[in-house]
Structure formats: C-alpha cells, structure tokens
Amino acid sequence: MWHARQMTVKSTDPWQTPAVEVLRAHPGIRVAEIETNATPGFTGDKATGERLIEERGAVLSRLQEMLFANGRWGDRRSILLILQGMDTAGKGGMVRNVIGHVDPQGVDHTSFGVPTPEEKRHHYLWRINKALPRAGQLGVFDRSHYEDVLVVRVRNLVPESVWSTRYDEINQFERELVDSGTTLIKVAMFVSLDEQKRRLAERLERPDKHWKYNPGDVSERKLWPAYQEAYQAMLDRTSTEHAPWYVVPCDRKWYSRIAVMELLIDAFERLDLDWPSVEFDVELEKRRLAEA
Ligand code: AMP
Ligand code: MG
C-alpha cells in the first residue's frame, strides 16, 4: 500500500526500511531466531533514536488529536495498540515513552492481569470486549486476549481442546473489530533470556523497582522454551491480513520505542484524517460572536 510516509523518506532518514515493512511478521518467521538486540531497518544510534522520539511524538500527538476530534463529530473509527511480551519486555515503558506523547483524554489504557473471580466466570473475551476503545480513541492493551493462548497454554490452565480453538476464534473476533472501524496494531515484544535476567536483577537492586518484581517471574523463566513455542503458534496462527503481528526486538529499549512510535504513526496516517468539518456556519458564528 502506498502512503504519505514513503513520500517523506529522505536520505537522512535513519529508517532505511520503514518499521511497518521490516517488522511485519512474515510467514515462516522463527521465534527462536529473533535477534532481540538488533535494530531492524534503523541506521541511527541511541542518541538519534532518543532525539527522533521527541520529534515523532509531536507528529503522533497531532494525529491523535485529529482522530479524537473526528470522533467527536461522528467518525466511528479507533485505533488499538496491543502489547504482548514476556515480563521485563518493556510494556510499561512503552506506554510511558510512546503513548506519553499524546493527550490522555484520547487514550483508553487497560492492562490485563490474572483474571479476577468475576472475569473467570465469563468467556475470556468478555473483559476484552469491555475494554475496547470507543470512537476516536487510541486504545492501549498491556497484555490482552493473547494471554489466553500464551500463559494459559504454557501453564495448562485449560485443556488443549479448549485453548486450541481460540486461535480461530481470535481471528474471527479481530475480523469483526476491524470491520467495525478499529485498526489493530499488534506488537510482539521480544527480549532475550539474558536481558530479562539483567532487568530482573535491576528490579531487585533498586528499591524504587522492587514493586515491579514478582517472585513468580523467576519460575516463568524455566518455562521459556514453552513460551517460545506458544509465541511461535501465536504468530503462525493469528498474524492475518486484517490484523498482522509486528515483531519488535526489545533488548534496546530506545529502538523498540521508536519502532512502535512509527507503527502507530503509520496506522494513523492510513486513516487519512483531516480536521472534521463542523455542522455550524463558521462565518455566521464569527459575526454572532462579534456582536455578543
Ligand atoms: P504484570 O503484567 O506484570 O502485571 O503481570 C500480569 C500477570 O497476569 C502475568 O503473569 C500474566 O501472565 C498474567 N495473566 C494475564 N492474563 C492472564 C490470563 N488470561 N490467565 C492467566 N494469567 C494471566
Ligand atoms: Mg510483571
């Protein structure tokens, strides 16, 4: 698909290949072979990335305001960013550093933890449905319905006969979502086992990070191969034309953030937004105001 970004790629653009192209999960991708410390498509260094995130953050903010404005004037569309990744992949930091650039009133953020007793009484998509972004909103999911084919699969929380039907069900669910006007940006965040260890160690070193540490996360490390398998199945079975996965290496936080920033900007640009045309007569209102 052709869009505005290609028009603006200059030789000085540190993106050699746009993030949407280089990060899109292609058929045959192997989770075990993802280079988690790579910076696909990006030729700049950390300083370039950190400078760029401010610049692009301003662009994102403008686009998000436009979506919000259109939502106020009847446009039904919305965008939903789904962040999936193992503990320490940097989901929270992604929200602060990328989504942090936009006006909070246009953001609908939800994080999904272990289902509450009430959630457990319902179908796994029940809590997801409740959290979907309304018209004009940028929804952000920190974890999602994909937990129901990841942790649930790895930990045998339901029998295989149950979780194995969920891939098709999720594809169908997302199809309906897209048809109703929600653009999905599904981001699979990958860190290496070593990098995770460093990040968990840091959580233990720093009293201001103790709250993030969960002793259970260490036990999950033993299940790493099983998680890799579950992530592999997720990419194989739920990266669809209407809702593709993007695979983002996350050992370098600065890279993962600038990459997701670009994925978001691309999604907004594809909406081809403009400021909404209002239903009142602007010239008439100017005259009325002058006389008021
Ligand atoms: P955190 O994101 O660090 O707050 O951790 C949330 C925890 O909730 C993770 O360990 C997830 O695996 C877990 N979790 C999220 N969704 C589900 C689910 N549907 N079933 C079981 N555990 C889940
Ligand atoms: Mg955690």
Side-chain angles (χ1 to χ4, degrees):
M1 181 188 291
W2 188 93
H3 48 87
R5 177 154 183 91
Q6 275 154 336
M7 217 168 52
T8 59
V9 171
K10 298 187 288 278
S11 56
T12 53
D13 191 331
W15 283 102
Q16 204 165 42
T17 313
V20 271
E21 278 174 38
V22 75
L23 297 176
R24 188 171 169 141
H26 53 270
I29 186 168
R30 304 302 309 158
V31 165
E33 287 161 19
I34 294 168
E35 287 184 52
T36 54
N37 66 348
T39 60
F42 197 78
T43 57
D45 58 6
K46 181 176 181 180
T48 314
E50 287 176 347
R51 189 160 13 89
L52 207 57
I53 202 143
E54 296 306 317
E55 228 174 83
R56 301 297 282 164
V59 172
L60 179 68
S61 168
R62 193 81 175 147
L63 287 164
Q64 180 275 332
E65 190 184 351
M66 232 180 239
L67 177 66
F68 185 80
N70 278 281
R72 280 292 171 85
W73 286 88
D75 193 327
R76 304 303 305 158
R77 292 177 300 173
S78 60
I79 289 186
L80 175 57
L81 174 68
I82 294 178
L83 300 174
Q84 269 303 150
M86 299 292 288
D87 255 292
T88 75
K91 300 182 290 294
M94 188 69 78
V95 175
R96 276 194 311 282
N97 288 277
V98 177
I99 306 303
H101 282 90
V102 313
D103 186 342
Q105 76 169 324
V107 175
D108 204 341
H109 173 273
T110 312
S111 42
F112 295 97
V114 177
T116 63
E118 189 189 18
E119 286 170 349
K120 279 202 184 104
R121 283 196 295 274
H122 292 87
H123 187 268
Y124 70 100
L125 293 173
W126 181 73
R127 64 176 184 169
I128 304 299
N129 260 307
K130 283 205 307 175
L132 292 174
R134 287 157 292 137
Q137 294 277 313
L138 168 58
V140 181
F141 283 2
D142 176 337
R143 304 185 190 266
S144 65
H145 41 298
Y146 285 100
E147 291 293 327
D148 292 279
V149 288
L150 293 169
V151 65
V152 168
R153 170 180 168 147
V154 169
R155 292 221 162 254
N156 293 311
L157 301 181
V158 300
E160 176 168 359
S161 59
V162 174
W163 59 252
S164 63
T165 63
R166 291 181 173 170
Y167 300 96
D168 291 341
E169 189 173 42
I170 287 172
N171 288 338
Q172 183 58 30
F173 170 71
E174 292 183 350
R175 169 88 261 171
E176 286 162 24
L177 212 54
V178 169
D179 288 346
S180 71
T182 301
T183 300
L184 297 184
I185 310 162
K186 303 194 298 195
V187 174
M189 300 170 65
F190 289 96
V191 280
S192 65
L193 198 53
D194 283 349
E195 182 60 22
Q196 188 193 55
K197 193 171 205 166
R198 268 192 291 280
R199 292 181 186 180
L200 288 175
E202 194 189 359
R203 287 182 183 179
L204 287 173
E205 282 310 315
R206 292 179 43 179
D208 64 324
K209 293 207 173 188
H210 284 171
W211 66 274
K212 286 193 199 181
Y213 187 84
N214 171 3
D217 296 345
V218 173
S219 335
E220 292 293 276
R221 287 172 60 79
K222 292 206 181 65
L223 297 170
W224 196 266
Y227 270 105
Q228 289 222 315
E229 217 175 281
Y231 271 92
Q232 182 69 53
M234 178 190 87
L235 295 180
D236 290 343
R237 302 197 54 188
T238 63
S239 200
T240 55
E241 203 53 48
H242 59 273
W245 277 104
Y246 294 94
V247 170
V248 178
C250 288
D251 282 4
R252 299 176 203 247
K253 290 178 180 170
W254 64 267
Y255 171 79
S256 61
R257 291 167 185 172
I258 192 70
V260 171
M261 176 72 87
E262 291 304 329
L263 296 178
L264 272 170
I265 289 176
D266 174 79
F268 274 97
E269 283 179 343
R270 279 185 285 128
L271 296 184
D272 207 12
L273 295 161
D274 204 343
W275 294 108
S277 40
V278 292
E279 280 153 18
F280 53 82
D281 179 338
V282 176
E283 291 311 315
L284 173 66
E285 291 305 312
K286 282 183 188 169
R287 288 195 298 278
R288 284 185 61 232
L289 180 61
E291 286 154 19

